[in-house]
Amino acid sequence: MGTARLRAAATGFAAALLALTAGVVPANAATVSVDAAGADLVSLSVVDGDLSLRIRDAGQMARQAVGHDPADVTLGPDGGVAVRVPQNEAFSFLGAPGTALWSLTPGDAGLPALDTTGVDRGEVQRDAVRLSLTAAEGPGHFTAYTLSGLGAPRLILGADARDVALPAAARIPMVWAFDAAGDYRLTLAASATLSTGRTVTTESTYRVSVPPIRPGPAAPLPAPAAAVKAHASPLAGAKAVPGAASAAPTAMSSPATPEAAKAAPARAATTGVRRVISDGHVDMGPQLSGNDWTIRVRDDTASPPVWREVADVVLHVKDNAKATVPAGAGFLGRPGDTIWLLPQAQQAGIVWPGWNTQHESVVTGTRGNVTWTLAGVDGPGRFTLFLTGSFGNANVLFDSAKSLPQRLPIPPNTHAHGNWAFSKPGLYRLAVQMSATTTAGRTVTDSKTLTIAVGDNTNPNSGFSGGSGTGGAGKPGNGDSGGTGRLPRTGESWVIPVVAGGLLLVLTGALLRLAARRRDAAAAPAEPTR
């Protein structure tokens, strides 16, 4: 009888324990699903003297939020894409051409990133953080690689690459690829030596669920990587860009404050405060206030971030952004031509412009896409905006060499970056327009002129209204500063100046002919008086 009672008590205790623990998830279980599109999969920062490793999705990035502990996150099986290794030797580290892969990205747009913007330049020795793959468990191979703005890949982590030096204050698009379906556990460790001499480390395990891999045809062949001669890759060494120490003092700086301070929203700047930005992160995007729809520039080089009027901002593209057009990239010019390239990846010493539709008023106050229109380009050369895909293939969004206007639909709550290319130095004025439909069904539109000064010899202050610069660059509508020639492009906002200029020439010619006739009449001898 005593034994029976003991068994009953044990059974009752087990049932009670099961009831108490039902629904309780262990502390180390992955509980959050994150969309990798445009996310910072590896976000490193120094907070209160310690090194932090987090995952930030697009929404957290917009709020400057800290992000998730990777141990609490599940990546996949949704949100990725099945692909095949292209016929290109530069991608041989992924396997034989035609090998099926699953990429942790929705496709060519919105690549996830390595993010070290939370590590200020000068905060760690050699301005570098070392990232290591200490363990990789799963049914197949894991490979991580980056792409330059002109499509050249670089293996950073995998079976043949266990660690990499990351530059401080950078955001670098990358591809995570897997060659077999199943569950993976990837352990990443990061380390750095603070400027004080103390070494700091952190480590976390990522969980990735890869679905069955069923790719379509092989990806198209991109430009040969051997032909690419761009400025230094952001992973080429501890220093991201040669000469970065001479950059303007507007460098992006993440506040070295408690984590809560990083979530501060952007504030509105005082109108009329001019700002030249040559380094750090900026976005152009719309805002809705009542019936007013306005395009502004979010300046993340300020702390806290500031929304500025477009007319108060000039972006300065310095000569450290020079690159060479590779073979197969005819949309940028002839092979060997020099261009100025603001890459899709953030690099220290170079301004990093993007676009976003993440302002709360846009997310909650509009329906459908926001339409970004490039209505006209005034400048000394060609302007091109394009995305670099997983295999280096280019997706051209805007090209001033083609007929304008050109339009790009942008889903709400989007934050994106591309490659901004300019063929000549000088002053460029981009006539941009953004339109949307409010939740009430009303169409709202705003037009602005975004000014970009290209080259060390171009005075960015000449881009402000009334400014003066080298070679007459301050003259409204004349973008020839340090370059040769002028490239006006057809678009609604540029038709009136062209027509007016033609009428002015006709009128000037008529006045000159009239003046000449009067001079001839005055010079003729007078007839004798009869």
Side-chain angles (χ1 to χ4, degrees):
M1 178 67 92
T3 302
R5 287 179 178 176
L6 182 60
R7 287 175 178 171
T11 302
F13 176 76
L17 181 61
L18 181 61
L20 287 172
T21 58
V24 176
V25 180
N28 62 348
T31 60
V32 180
S33 180
V34 171
D35 184 357
D40 289 337
L41 285 187
V42 178
S43 183
L44 294 165
S45 59
V46 176
V47 180
D48 292 337
D50 290 320
L51 192 59
S52 172
L53 172 58
R54 313 289 284 187
I55 294 176
R56 295 196 304 166
D57 60 32
Q60 291 169 328
M61 291 166 59
R63 300 191 305 272
Q64 299 282 299
V66 177
H68 302 289
D69 183 341
D72 296 335
V73 173
T74 297
L75 297 169
D78 299 322
V81 63
V83 293
R84 293 188 185 276
V85 177
Q87 294 278 346
N88 189 326
E89 186 178 352
F91 292 90
S92 61
F93 58 82
L94 291 172
T99 300
L101 299 174
W102 187 78
S103 172
L104 188 59
T105 169
D108 291 345
L111 295 179
L114 288 165
D115 168 46
T116 60
T117 57
V119 181
D120 293 340
R121 279 176 286 167
E123 193 169 21
V124 297
Q125 293 184 8
R126 295 182 297 279
D127 282 341
V129 179
R130 184 159 292 278
L131 182 68
S132 303
L133 176 65
T134 61
E137 302 173 11
H141 296 96
F142 157 71
T143 307
Y145 64 97
T146 64
L147 291 151
S148 75
L150 295 176
R154 181 184 177 186
L155 171 66
I156 57 170
L157 294 175
D160 298 323
R162 287 291 178 170
D163 58 57
V164 62
L166 304 175
R171 183 176 282 111
I172 306 160
M174 64 177 175
V175 179
W176 280 20
F178 304 84
D179 63 3
D183 295 330
Y184 292 76
R185 291 169 59 91
L186 312 171
T187 302
L188 299 182
S191 63
T193 302
L194 301 178
S195 56
T196 60
R198 185 168 69 91
T199 298
V200 289
T201 61
T202 186
E203 182 179 273
S204 195
T205 297
Y206 286 70
R207 292 172 172 83
V208 184
S209 178
V210 177
I213 305 174
R214 301 185 181 93
L221 180 67
V228 176
K229 297 180 180 179
H231 53 271
S233 164
L235 297 179
K239 296 292 184 182
V241 179
S246 63
T250 54
M252 180 175 184
S253 176
S254 299
T257 55
E259 294 181 351
K262 294 187 178 182
R267 58 186 174 86
T270 303
T271 302
V273 178
R274 294 175 172 179
R275 178 79 164 175
V276 173
I277 303 176
S278 60
D279 186 8
H281 177 227
V282 297
D283 280 332
M284 183 176 66
Q287 298 176 359
L288 181 64
S289 178
N291 293 325
D292 295 329
W293 173 262
T294 307
I295 304 172
R296 290 191 172 93
V297 172
R298 177 183 165 115
D299 178 8
D300 279 337
T301 69
S303 181
V306 171
W307 283 100
R308 302 184 185 277
E309 300 300 324
V310 178
D312 293 338
V313 174
V314 172
L315 305 182
H316 191 191
V317 185
K318 295 188 173 182
D319 285 348
N320 59 358
K322 280 185 178 181
T324 301
V325 176
F331 64 96
L332 292 174
R334 296 171 299 181
D337 284 352
T338 296
I339 58 173
W340 282 254
L341 182 71
L342 299 179
Q344 192 168 318
Q346 183 173 8
Q347 296 186 20
I350 298 177
V351 64
W352 192 46
W355 56 96
N356 84 55
T357 55
Q358 292 184 312
H359 195 271
E360 183 65 20
S361 64
V362 177
V363 175
T364 62
T366 65
R367 65 189 189 196
N369 292 330
V370 173
T371 300
W372 177 12
T373 300
L374 180 66
V377 176
D378 186 30
R382 183 177 187 175
F383 161 67
T384 311
L385 177 62
F386 66 100
L387 298 175
T388 299
S390 301
F391 291 121
N393 46 308
N395 178 15
V396 179
L397 305 180
F398 293 130
D399 186 351
S400 69
K402 296 183 178 180
S403 177
L404 296 174
Q406 297 166 13
R407 295 175 176 84
L408 175 69
I410 309 172
N413 202 24
T414 292
H415 177 207
H417 286 266
N419 304 284
W420 301 60
F422 304 87
S423 66
K424 293 181 180 180
L427 200 68
Y428 291 75
R429 301 185 191 274
L430 312 183
V432 296
Q433 182 183 87
M434 287 188 172
S435 306
T437 301
T438 68
T439 53
R442 189 171 61 88
T443 300
V444 288
T445 301
D446 187 32
S447 300
K448 289 289 192 298
T449 299
L450 180 65
T451 303
I452 303 171
V454 178
D456 285 354
N457 294 327
T458 301
N459 179 4
N461 291 303
S462 66
F464 297 113
S465 178
S468 60
T470 304
K475 298 178 182 179
N478 185 356
D480 190 0
S481 170
T484 57
R486 180 184 173 195
L487 186 68
R489 293 295 173 195
T490 57
E492 294 95 333
S493 61
W494 304 97
V495 173
I496 293 177
V498 172
V499 174
L503 292 176
L504 180 61
L505 289 174
V506 173
L507 180 59
T508 301
L511 291 175
L512 289 174
R513 287 194 297 272
L514 179 59
R517 290 175 181 172
R518 289 181 175 176
R519 284 196 304 270
D520 292 342
E527 292 185 3
T529 304
R530 293 187 183 270

